[in-house]
Amino acid sequence: MPNLDQLSAFIAAAETGSFSAAARRLKKAQSAVSNAIINLEIESGVDLFDRSSRSPTLTDQGEALLKSAYAVQSSHHDFVAKARALNLGEESELCIAIEQNISPQPVVELLIEFEQTFPFIELELLDPGINDVAALIRSGRAHIGLMLEQEEYPQGIKFKGIGHSRRMPVCSRNHPLAQLKQVSHSDLRQYRQLVMKSLDPEDTSHNRQVISPKLWYAESPFVIAELLSAGLGWAALHEAVVAEQLEKGILVVLSRTYQQDANLQGIDVVWTEQKALGKGGQWLLERLFKLKLG
Amino acid sequence: MPNLDQLSAFIAAAETGSFSAAARRLKKAQSAVSNAIINLEIESGVDLFDRSSRSPTLTDQGEALLKSAYAVQSSHHDFVAKARALNLGEESELCIAIEQNISPQPVVELLIEFEQTFPFIELELLDPGINDVAALIRSGRAHIGLMLEQEEYPQGIKFKGIGHSRRMPVCSRNHPLAQLKQVSHSDLRQYRQLVMKSLDPEDTSHNRQVISPKLWYAESPFVIAELLSAGLGWAALHEAVVAEQLEKGILVVLSRTYQQDANLQGIDVVWTEQKALGKGGQWLLERLFKLKLG
DNA sequence: ATCAACTTATCTAAATATCAGATAGATACT
DNA sequence: AGTATCTATCTGATATTTAGATAAGTTGAT
């Protein structure tokens, strides 16, 4: 039953220690504050102030309720602030998809700042497998994505390169390939190759990676890394995926006799202009453009 | 500017999917709900509902603001509930002092239930050294205490025994005393004794514990246990304090040739009736009476 | 003790906000 | 077409809130 004006009067009076001062702060008549607090006391059934002296002082119970009053007031401020943010063009939610092959760390650093700047935007993070980011953007499920570059994108998708990721053939340190000083294509062909494959059945980009005729597929590079760690086959994986296992010595990089320079793959920011981005999305996009990855 | 009635109307309409149904739930006229929501939309500057079809549906922005509206409403409910609790005789805060020699664990189990039963009472826990609980109760700093029994308590303090704690002479496993099969008083007198002493300079109860002429004092039994672990002297400590270090073998109990039965010391609940306890304090007191410690 | 300067409580009348009821127009379903 | 249900809007009645004036109390200085 107590309303927000009564709570504001209560808070102002508690902070200033005077009903009159509270009235001046709130730009209301003294009688308005006095009435508000008396009514609040009647409705809540609690004596909030001890008026025996000149300046009213909070009772113990008043002190306790003051904390709850602050809680109401601050959540109300949040409501108003969120409405204002929406009015100024902030979206209410933003979904970002970062392909698993790409290290999220530089983006996470941006997001720390994002959280401060746009406290009311709800953020969702997706980490799809290879080449699935574009589909998420296109369907509207995600608003901004980071993915390994493709030769062509679905219509309506915009993209911009922001760096590179190194891809390298790796296997378990116990794998026969790991015992060779240098491996050639014909060496690789003798063992099972694990290839990343998109969820999208139309996507055929994985075919360009095929070297060995003995193939298994997985959507997630992390699943592949696990298989490799268990000693199964070899795969071309990105540094972000295998950095930790290389560090620990579980996986090793194969030295190649061939195409030493084809191992750099571009990283693109992708988004769509069909659904216009809000203030938060624009801010994030601009920051992503300034990144230099790899 | 938006008020609580408008937020209630917003929430009810969002939940029922209809302004009319919301009005029925809130027992108001349909026009009241319609006005409330329209005014809320004007004041916040956000279109909350899409009215193009028969039943209004939340816009994305409305969905976002609904969450904030819930936050305001629930904190307001908390305010009202807290006021009601205070009215029904709950204190706003309760301070419990548990002497360090006593294991807090049985009380902690009670407090789990307390937190559910009295969610609005702020609880403070103190863990004073030996014999300082009574002073905290007497000064009003704490409302309920658990302490090792004393022969007499300050005036105005009420107490009730709820169990016992075992006190035993302990020292480091590397200490010379630990090498003896059995220790006598004259053995103990040869080494430094560490004694718990109250903060209160008037308190002389530590004198009754003195055996050795080589004395050091500490307020906290845990500090004494640390000194013992480092190999310094011996002390009579309670099981709650040294259980862990006995388990690990850092400290050992000395086998005595004397008074095998004087090692049980009573545990009292103490409180005062000068300041009447509220509902929460009464509840806790009754539960403490039912405990059987030791 | 007296006074000045400040408090809070209370009263009144006016301004304001809120509400229920009636009505009209729109939508969905039979 | 007909029925039921919905929302927006208008209107007058009701309730609440407000400012201003006033009374009475407190504080601290003179």
Short mmCIF file of all heavy atoms in Angstrom, two decimals, chain D residues 3-22:
data_model
loop_
_atom_site.label_atom_id
_atom_site.label_comp_id
_atom_site.label_asym_id
_atom_site.label_seq_id
_atom_site.Cartn_x
_atom_site.Cartn_y
_atom_site.Cartn_z
P DT D 3 -27.15 -12.09 -31.81
OP1 DT D 3 -28.40 -12.69 -31.34
OP2 DT D 3 -27.01 -10.63 -31.94
"O5'" DT D 3 -25.97 -12.62 -30.89
"C5'" DT D 3 -25.51 -13.96 -31.05
"C4'" DT D 3 -24.15 -14.08 -30.43
"O4'" DT D 3 -23.13 -13.60 -31.34
"C3'" DT D 3 -23.98 -13.27 -29.14
"O3'" DT D 3 -23.64 -14.15 -28.08
"C2'" DT D 3 -22.87 -12.27 -29.46
"C1'" DT D 3 -22.14 -12.94 -30.61
N1 DT D 3 -21.45 -12.00 -31.54
C2 DT D 3 -20.13 -12.22 -31.86
O2 DT D 3 -19.49 -13.15 -31.41
N3 DT D 3 -19.60 -11.31 -32.73
C4 DT D 3 -20.23 -10.21 -33.30
O4 DT D 3 -19.64 -9.47 -34.06
C5 DT D 3 -21.60 -10.04 -32.92
C7 DT D 3 -22.37 -8.88 -33.47
C6 DT D 3 -22.14 -10.92 -32.07
P DA D 4 -23.58 -13.58 -26.58
OP1 DA D 4 -24.19 -14.57 -25.69
OP2 DA D 4 -24.04 -12.18 -26.58
"O5'" DA D 4 -22.00 -13.57 -26.30
"C5'" DA D 4 -21.20 -14.60 -26.86
"C4'" DA D 4 -19.75 -14.20 -26.79
"O4'" DA D 4 -19.41 -13.35 -27.92
"C3'" DA D 4 -19.38 -13.40 -25.54
"O3'" DA D 4 -18.25 -14.00 -24.91
"C2'" DA D 4 -19.06 -11.99 -26.05
"C1'" DA D 4 -18.62 -12.28 -27.47
N9 DA D 4 -18.86 -11.15 -28.37
C8 DA D 4 -19.99 -10.39 -28.48
N7 DA D 4 -19.92 -9.44 -29.39
C5 DA D 4 -18.63 -9.59 -29.90
C6 DA D 4 -17.93 -8.89 -30.90
N6 DA D 4 -18.43 -7.87 -31.58
N1 DA D 4 -16.67 -9.30 -31.18
C2 DA D 4 -16.16 -10.33 -30.49
N3 DA D 4 -16.72 -11.06 -29.54
C4 DA D 4 -17.97 -10.63 -29.30
P DT D 5 -17.79 -13.45 -23.48
OP1 DT D 5 -17.38 -14.62 -22.68
OP2 DT D 5 -18.78 -12.48 -22.98
"O5'" DT D 5 -16.47 -12.63 -23.85
"C5'" DT D 5 -15.53 -13.20 -24.74
"C4'" DT D 5 -14.57 -12.14 -25.21
"O4'" DT D 5 -15.22 -11.31 -26.21
"C3'" DT D 5 -14.12 -11.18 -24.11
"O3'" DT D 5 -12.73 -11.27 -23.92
"C2'" DT D 5 -14.50 -9.79 -24.63
"C1'" DT D 5 -14.64 -10.03 -26.12
N1 DT D 5 -15.54 -9.05 -26.80
C2 DT D 5 -15.08 -8.40 -27.90
O2 DT D 5 -13.97 -8.59 -28.37
N3 DT D 5 -15.97 -7.49 -28.45
C4 DT D 5 -17.24 -7.21 -27.99
O4 DT D 5 -17.94 -6.39 -28.57
C5 DT D 5 -17.67 -7.93 -26.83
C7 DT D 5 -19.01 -7.68 -26.25
C6 DT D 5 -16.80 -8.81 -26.28
P DC D 6 -12.03 -10.49 -22.75
OP1 DC D 6 -11.01 -11.38 -22.19
OP2 DC D 6 -13.07 -9.88 -21.88
"O5'" DC D 6 -11.30 -9.28 -23.52
"C5'" DC D 6 -10.31 -9.59 -24.47
"C4'" DC D 6 -10.15 -8.46 -25.45
"O4'" DC D 6 -11.42 -8.18 -26.08
"C3'" DC D 6 -9.77 -7.12 -24.82
"O3'" DC D 6 -8.38 -7.04 -24.64
"C2'" DC D 6 -10.23 -6.13 -25.89
"C1'" DC D 6 -11.37 -6.86 -26.61
N1 DC D 6 -12.70 -6.23 -26.41
C2 DC D 6 -13.09 -5.19 -27.25
O2 DC D 6 -12.30 -4.80 -28.13
N3 DC D 6 -14.31 -4.62 -27.09
C4 DC D 6 -15.12 -5.08 -26.13
N4 DC D 6 -16.32 -4.49 -26.02
C5 DC D 6 -14.75 -6.14 -25.27
C6 DC D 6 -13.53 -6.68 -25.44
P DT D 7 -7.82 -5.91 -23.71
OP1 DT D 7 -6.40 -6.24 -23.46
OP2 DT D 7 -8.76 -5.74 -22.58
"O5'" DT D 7 -7.91 -4.58 -24.58
"C5'" DT D 7 -7.14 -4.46 -25.76
"C4'" DT D 7 -7.39 -3.11 -26.40
"O4'" DT D 7 -8.82 -2.95 -26.64
"C3'" DT D 7 -6.96 -1.92 -25.54
"O3'" DT D 7 -6.22 -1.01 -26.33
"C2'" DT D 7 -8.28 -1.31 -25.06
"C1'" DT D 7 -9.24 -1.69 -26.17
N1 DT D 7 -10.66 -1.85 -25.70
C2 DT D 7 -11.64 -1.09 -26.26
O2 DT D 7 -11.43 -0.27 -27.14
N3 DT D 7 -12.90 -1.30 -25.76
C4 DT D 7 -13.27 -2.19 -24.77
O4 DT D 7 -14.42 -2.30 -24.39
C5 DT D 7 -12.18 -2.97 -24.22
C7 DT D 7 -12.43 -3.97 -23.14
C6 DT D 7 -10.93 -2.76 -24.69
P DA D 8 -5.64 0.31 -25.69
OP1 DA D 8 -4.38 0.61 -26.39
OP2 DA D 8 -5.64 0.20 -24.22
"O5'" DA D 8 -6.71 1.40 -26.12
"C5'" DA D 8 -6.92 1.65 -27.50
"C4'" DA D 8 -7.84 2.85 -27.69
"O4'" DA D 8 -9.18 2.48 -27.25
"C3'" DA D 8 -7.47 4.10 -26.90
"O3'" DA D 8 -7.65 5.24 -27.72
"C2'" DA D 8 -8.43 4.09 -25.71
"C1'" DA D 8 -9.65 3.40 -26.27
N9 DA D 8 -10.40 2.61 -25.31
C8 DA D 8 -9.90 1.71 -24.41
N7 DA D 8 -10.81 1.13 -23.67
C5 DA D 8 -12.01 1.67 -24.12
C6 DA D 8 -13.34 1.48 -23.73
N6 DA D 8 -13.73 0.63 -22.76
N1 DA D 8 -14.30 2.18 -24.39
C2 DA D 8 -13.92 3.03 -25.35
N3 DA D 8 -12.69 3.30 -25.81
C4 DA D 8 -11.78 2.58 -25.13
P DT D 9 -7.17 6.66 -27.22
OP1 DT D 9 -6.70 7.38 -28.41
OP2 DT D 9 -6.30 6.51 -26.04
"O5'" DT D 9 -8.53 7.33 -26.74
"C5'" DT D 9 -9.69 7.21 -27.56
"C4'" DT D 9 -10.91 7.69 -26.82
"O4'" DT D 9 -11.45 6.64 -25.98
"C3'" DT D 9 -10.68 8.88 -25.89
"O3'" DT D 9 -11.57 9.93 -26.23
"C2'" DT D 9 -10.98 8.33 -24.50
"C1'" DT D 9 -11.98 7.23 -24.84
N1 DT D 9 -12.12 6.17 -23.80
C2 DT D 9 -13.38 5.79 -23.42
O2 DT D 9 -14.39 6.26 -23.87
N3 DT D 9 -13.41 4.81 -22.46
C4 DT D 9 -12.33 4.20 -21.87
O4 DT D 9 -12.48 3.32 -21.02
C5 DT D 9 -11.03 4.65 -22.33
C7 DT D 9 -9.80 4.05 -21.75
C6 DT D 9 -10.98 5.61 -23.26
P DC D 10 -11.20 11.42 -25.77
OP1 DC D 10 -11.02 12.24 -26.97
OP2 DC D 10 -10.16 11.38 -24.72
"O5'" DC D 10 -12.58 11.85 -25.08
"C5'" DC D 10 -13.81 11.51 -25.72
"C4'" DC D 10 -14.90 11.37 -24.67
"O4'" DC D 10 -14.76 10.13 -23.98
"C3'" DC D 10 -14.89 12.48 -23.61
"O3'" DC D 10 -16.08 13.24 -23.66
"C2'" DC D 10 -14.76 11.73 -22.28
"C1'" DC D 10 -15.15 10.31 -22.64
N1 DC D 10 -14.43 9.28 -21.81
C2 DC D 10 -15.18 8.41 -21.00
O2 DC D 10 -16.41 8.51 -20.98
N3 DC D 10 -14.51 7.49 -20.26
C4 DC D 10 -13.18 7.42 -20.31
N4 DC D 10 -12.57 6.50 -19.56
C5 DC D 10 -12.41 8.30 -21.13
C6 DC D 10 -13.07 9.21 -21.86
P DT D 11 -16.17 14.56 -22.76
OP1 DT D 11 -17.01 15.49 -23.52
OP2 DT D 11 -14.82 14.94 -22.31
"O5'" DT D 11 -16.98 14.06 -21.49
"C5'" DT D 11 -18.06 13.14 -21.65
"C4'" DT D 11 -18.62 12.82 -20.28
"O4'" DT D 11 -17.94 11.66 -19.73
"C3'" DT D 11 -18.43 13.94 -19.26
"O3'" DT D 11 -19.61 14.13 -18.50
"C2'" DT D 11 -17.28 13.45 -18.39
"C1'" DT D 11 -17.51 11.94 -18.42
N1 DT D 11 -16.26 11.15 -18.16
C2 DT D 11 -16.33 10.02 -17.40
O2 DT D 11 -17.36 9.60 -16.92
N3 DT D 11 -15.13 9.39 -17.23
C4 DT D 11 -13.89 9.78 -17.73
O4 DT D 11 -12.89 9.14 -17.50
C5 DT D 11 -13.91 10.98 -18.52
C7 DT D 11 -12.62 11.49 -19.10
C6 DT D 11 -15.06 11.61 -18.71
P DG D 12 -19.76 15.58 -17.79
OP1 DG D 12 -20.91 16.22 -18.45
OP2 DG D 12 -18.46 16.28 -17.70
"O5'" DG D 12 -20.18 15.15 -16.32
"C5'" DG D 12 -21.08 14.06 -16.13
"C4'" DG D 12 -20.72 13.31 -14.86
"O4'" DG D 12 -19.44 12.65 -15.02
"C3'" DG D 12 -20.57 14.22 -13.61
"O3'" DG D 12 -21.16 13.57 -12.51
"C2'" DG D 12 -19.05 14.32 -13.44
"C1'" DG D 12 -18.62 12.94 -13.91
N9 DG D 12 -17.23 12.85 -14.34
C8 DG D 12 -16.52 13.75 -15.10
N7 DG D 12 -15.29 13.39 -15.32
C5 DG D 12 -15.18 12.16 -14.67
C6 DG D 12 -14.07 11.29 -14.56
O6 DG D 12 -12.95 11.41 -15.03
N1 DG D 12 -14.39 10.16 -13.81
C2 DG D 12 -15.61 9.90 -13.25
N2 DG D 12 -15.73 8.77 -12.56
N3 DG D 12 -16.65 10.71 -13.33
C4 DG D 12 -16.37 11.82 -14.06
P DA D 13 -21.42 14.43 -11.18
OP1 DA D 13 -22.87 14.59 -11.01
OP2 DA D 13 -20.52 15.62 -11.14
"O5'" DA D 13 -20.91 13.39 -10.10
"C5'" DA D 13 -21.20 12.00 -10.27
"C4'" DA D 13 -20.19 11.17 -9.49
"O4'" DA D 13 -18.93 11.16 -10.19
"C3'" DA D 13 -19.91 11.69 -8.08
"O3'" DA D 13 -19.91 10.61 -7.16
"C2'" DA D 13 -18.51 12.32 -8.20
"C1'" DA D 13 -17.88 11.46 -9.28
N9 DA D 13 -16.82 12.14 -10.04
C8 DA D 13 -16.91 13.35 -10.67
N7 DA D 13 -15.79 13.71 -11.27
C5 DA D 13 -14.92 12.67 -11.01
C6 DA D 13 -13.57 12.45 -11.36
N6 DA D 13 -12.86 13.29 -12.08
N1 DA D 13 -13.00 11.30 -10.93
C2 DA D 13 -13.74 10.45 -10.19
N3 DA D 13 -15.00 10.55 -9.79
C4 DA D 13 -15.54 11.70 -10.24
P DT D 14 -19.86 10.94 -5.59
OP1 DT D 14 -20.90 10.12 -4.94
OP2 DT D 14 -19.84 12.42 -5.40
"O5'" DT D 14 -18.44 10.38 -5.21
"C5'" DT D 14 -17.98 9.15 -5.79
"C4'" DT D 14 -16.49 9.02 -5.57
"O4'" DT D 14 -15.77 9.85 -6.51
"C3'" DT D 14 -16.03 9.44 -4.18
"O3'" DT D 14 -15.38 8.33 -3.57
"C2'" DT D 14 -15.06 10.60 -4.44
"C1'" DT D 14 -14.62 10.34 -5.86
N1 DT D 14 -14.14 11.53 -6.62
C2 DT D 14 -12.87 11.53 -7.13
O2 DT D 14 -12.10 10.60 -7.00
N3 DT D 14 -12.52 12.67 -7.82
C4 DT D 14 -13.32 13.79 -8.02
O4 DT D 14 -12.89 14.75 -8.65
C5 DT D 14 -14.63 13.71 -7.45
C7 DT D 14 -15.57 14.88 -7.62
C6 DT D 14 -14.99 12.60 -6.79
P DA D 15 -14.89 8.42 -2.03
OP1 DA D 15 -15.20 7.14 -1.37
OP2 DA D 15 -15.35 9.70 -1.45
"O5'" DA D 15 -13.31 8.50 -2.26
"C5'" DA D 15 -12.73 7.72 -3.30
"C4'" DA D 15 -11.24 8.08 -3.43
"O4'" DA D 15 -11.09 9.25 -4.25
"C3'" DA D 15 -10.56 8.37 -2.10
"O3'" DA D 15 -9.34 7.66 -2.05
"C2'" DA D 15 -10.35 9.89 -2.11
"C1'" DA D 15 -10.27 10.20 -3.59
N9 DA D 15 -10.79 11.52 -3.96
C8 DA D 15 -12.00 12.06 -3.63
N7 DA D 15 -12.20 13.27 -4.11
C5 DA D 15 -11.04 13.54 -4.81
C6 DA D 15 -10.62 14.67 -5.55
N6 DA D 15 -11.37 15.76 -5.72
N1 DA D 15 -9.40 14.63 -6.11
C2 DA D 15 -8.65 13.52 -5.93
N3 DA D 15 -8.93 12.41 -5.27
C4 DA D 15 -10.15 12.49 -4.72
P DT D 16 -8.45 7.73 -0.73
OP1 DT D 16 -7.98 6.36 -0.44
OP2 DT D 16 -9.13 8.53 0.32
"O5'" DT D 16 -7.21 8.56 -1.29
"C5'" DT D 16 -6.77 8.33 -2.63
"C4'" DT D 16 -5.86 9.44 -3.09
"O4'" DT D 16 -6.64 10.62 -3.36
"C3'" DT D 16 -4.81 9.85 -2.06
"O3'" DT D 16 -3.53 9.67 -2.63
"C2'" DT D 16 -5.13 11.31 -1.75
"C1'" DT D 16 -5.87 11.75 -3.01
N1 DT D 16 -6.81 12.90 -2.84
C2 DT D 16 -6.60 14.05 -3.55
O2 DT D 16 -5.68 14.20 -4.33
N3 DT D 16 -7.53 15.04 -3.34
C4 DT D 16 -8.63 14.98 -2.49
O4 DT D 16 -9.39 15.93 -2.38
C5 DT D 16 -8.79 13.75 -1.77
C7 DT D 16 -9.94 13.58 -0.83
C6 DT D 16 -7.89 12.77 -1.97
P DT D 17 -2.20 9.90 -1.72
OP1 DT D 17 -1.14 8.98 -2.20
OP2 DT D 17 -2.57 9.96 -0.30
"O5'" DT D 17 -1.80 11.37 -2.20
"C5'" DT D 17 -1.84 11.68 -3.58
"C4'" DT D 17 -1.52 13.14 -3.80
"O4'" DT D 17 -2.69 13.94 -3.56
"C3'" DT D 17 -0.42 13.67 -2.86
"O3'" DT D 17 0.58 14.29 -3.63
"C2'" DT D 17 -1.17 14.66 -1.95
"C1'" DT D 17 -2.33 15.09 -2.82
N1 DT D 17 -3.55 15.53 -2.07
C2 DT D 17 -4.14 16.72 -2.39
O2 DT D 17 -3.73 17.47 -3.26
N3 DT D 17 -5.28 17.03 -1.65
C4 DT D 17 -5.85 16.26 -0.65
O4 DT D 17 -6.86 16.64 -0.06
C5 DT D 17 -5.17 15.02 -0.37
C7 DT D 17 -5.70 14.13 0.70
C6 DT D 17 -4.07 14.71 -1.08
P DT D 18 1.89 14.86 -2.92
OP1 DT D 18 3.03 14.61 -3.83
OP2 DT D 18 1.94 14.37 -1.53
"O5'" DT D 18 1.62 16.42 -2.90
"C5'" DT D 18 1.28 17.09 -4.10
"C4'" DT D 18 0.73 18.46 -3.79
"O4'" DT D 18 -0.53 18.32 -3.12
"C3'" DT D 18 1.60 19.26 -2.82
"O3'" DT D 18 2.42 20.16 -3.56
"C2'" DT D 18 0.59 19.99 -1.92
"C1'" DT D 18 -0.76 19.48 -2.38
N1 DT D 18 -1.68 19.12 -1.26
C2 DT D 18 -2.77 19.93 -1.01
O2 DT D 18 -3.02 20.92 -1.64
N3 DT D 18 -3.55 19.51 0.04
C4 DT D 18 -3.36 18.38 0.83
O4 DT D 18 -4.13 18.11 1.74
C5 DT D 18 -2.20 17.59 0.50
C7 DT D 18 -1.90 16.35 1.29
C6 DT D 18 -1.42 17.99 -0.51
P DA D 19 3.62 20.90 -2.80
OP1 DA D 19 4.68 21.15 -3.80
OP2 DA D 19 3.92 20.19 -1.56
"O5'" DA D 19 2.94 22.29 -2.44
"C5'" DA D 19 2.28 23.03 -3.47
"C4'" DA D 19 1.51 24.19 -2.86
"O4'" DA D 19 0.44 23.67 -2.02
"C3'" DA D 19 2.34 25.12 -1.98
"O3'" DA D 19 1.97 26.46 -2.25
"C2'" DA D 19 1.95 24.71 -0.55
"C1'" DA D 19 0.53 24.23 -0.72
N9 DA D 19 0.12 23.17 0.20
C8 DA D 19 0.84 22.06 0.54
N7 DA D 19 0.22 21.26 1.38
C5 DA D 19 -1.00 21.89 1.61
C6 DA D 19 -2.10 21.55 2.42
N6 DA D 19 -2.16 20.45 3.16
N1 DA D 19 -3.15 22.40 2.42
C2 DA D 19 -3.09 23.52 1.67
N3 DA D 19 -2.09 23.94 0.87
C4 DA D 19 -1.07 23.07 0.89
P DG D 20 2.89 27.64 -1.71
OP1 DG D 20 2.97 28.66 -2.77
OP2 DG D 20 4.12 27.07 -1.12
"O5'" DG D 20 2.00 28.24 -0.51
"C5'" DG D 20 0.64 28.58 -0.75
"C4'" DG D 20 -0.08 28.78 0.56
"O4'" DG D 20 -0.35 27.47 1.16
"C3'" DG D 20 0.71 29.56 1.62
"O3'" DG D 20 -0.07 30.66 2.06
"C2'" DG D 20 0.95 28.56 2.75
"C1'" DG D 20 -0.19 27.58 2.55
N9 DG D 20 0.06 26.25 3.08
C8 DG D 20 1.18 25.48 2.90
N7 DG D 20 1.11 24.32 3.50
C5 DG D 20 -0.13 24.33 4.11
C6 DG D 20 -0.76 23.34 4.91
O6 DG D 20 -0.33 22.23 5.24
N1 DG D 20 -2.02 23.75 5.33
C2 DG D 20 -2.61 24.95 5.02
N2 DG D 20 -3.82 25.16 5.51
N3 DG D 20 -2.03 25.89 4.28
C4 DG D 20 -0.79 25.51 3.86
P DA D 21 0.58 31.73 3.06
OP1 DA D 21 0.19 33.06 2.55
OP2 DA D 21 1.99 31.42 3.35
"O5'" DA D 21 -0.28 31.43 4.37
"C5'" DA D 21 -1.67 31.18 4.27
"C4'" DA D 21 -2.20 30.74 5.63
"O4'" DA D 21 -1.93 29.33 5.81
"C3'" DA D 21 -1.57 31.48 6.82
"O3'" DA D 21 -2.57 31.86 7.74
"C2'" DA D 21 -0.61 30.45 7.41
"C1'" DA D 21 -1.32 29.14 7.07
N9 DA D 21 -0.41 27.99 6.97
C8 DA D 21 0.79 27.95 6.31
N7 DA D 21 1.39 26.78 6.39
C5 DA D 21 0.52 26.01 7.16
C6 DA D 21 0.59 24.69 7.60
N6 DA D 21 1.59 23.86 7.34
N1 DA D 21 -0.46 24.23 8.35
C2 DA D 21 -1.46 25.06 8.62
N3 DA D 21 -1.63 26.32 8.25
C4 DA D 21 -0.59 26.74 7.52
P DT D 22 -2.11 32.72 9.01
OP1 DT D 22 -3.20 33.68 9.26
OP2 DT D 22 -0.72 33.19 8.84
"O5'" DT D 22 -2.13 31.63 10.16
"C5'" DT D 22 -3.20 30.69 10.22
"C4'" DT D 22 -2.92 29.67 11.30
"O4'" DT D 22 -2.05 28.63 10.78
"C3'" DT D 22 -2.23 30.23 12.54
"O3'" DT D 22 -2.93 29.81 13.70
"C2'" DT D 22 -0.84 29.60 12.49
"C1'" DT D 22 -1.15 28.29 11.79
N1 DT D 22 0.03 27.62 11.16
C2 DT D 22 0.22 26.28 11.38
O2 DT D 22 -0.53 25.60 12.05
N3 DT D 22 1.32 25.76 10.78
C4 DT D 22 2.24 26.44 9.99
O4 DT D 22 3.21 25.87 9.50
C5 DT D 22 1.98 27.85 9.81
C7 DT D 22 2.92 28.67 9.00
C6 DT D 22 0.90 28.37 10.40
#
